[in-house]
Amino acid sequence: LCYRGEIVAVEDGMYVIKGEGSRNMVAAIVDRDTYVVEGASGKLRLPYALKEGQKVTAYYSATMTRSMPPQSHALAIVIEDRRRACKLF
């Protein structure tokens, strides 16, 4: 699954993303197996590169908690280039 939006909260490896789509928010759990990619260059980044206010696209597991916001393991997070918008699909 994929979700596009803005990081609105960061806490202990969990990144709450608010934005587009049928869900209002998703909490993406980021660990050492999560790919963090800089969208403009395609370079891999470390998770600490993710910060509140960034526009991102998160690719995550279909297995989610029933909490609010739902939580799921992030497979990859792409940091969008603020200077240019791109269509992913």
Side-chain angles (χ1 to χ4, degrees), residues 2-78:
C2 120
Y3 190 73
R4 190 174 190 180
E6 180 179 333
I7 297 173
V8 294
V10 177
E11 184 178 323
D12 296 329
M14 188 177 313
Y15 296 80
V16 178
I17 302 167
K18 180 178 181 171
E20 306 167 6
S22 60
R23 294 173 184 82
N24 187 27
M25 288 193 202
V26 170
I29 300 168
V30 175
D31 61 18
R32 64 186 181 137
D33 294 326
T34 303
Y35 289 96
V36 177
V37 181
E38 191 174 286
S41 67
K43 291 182 181 177
L44 288 177
R45 307 287 293 186
L46 294 174
Y48 67 79
L50 297 169
K51 303 199 182 324
E52 285 185 35
Q54 287 179 319
K55 300 283 187 189
V56 298
T57 299
Y59 297 87
Y60 56 92
S61 169
T63 305
M64 303 178 83
T65 66
R66 293 182 187 221
S67 62
M68 289 310 233
Q71 300 173 18
S72 182
H73 177 260
L75 305 171
I77 295 184
V78 179

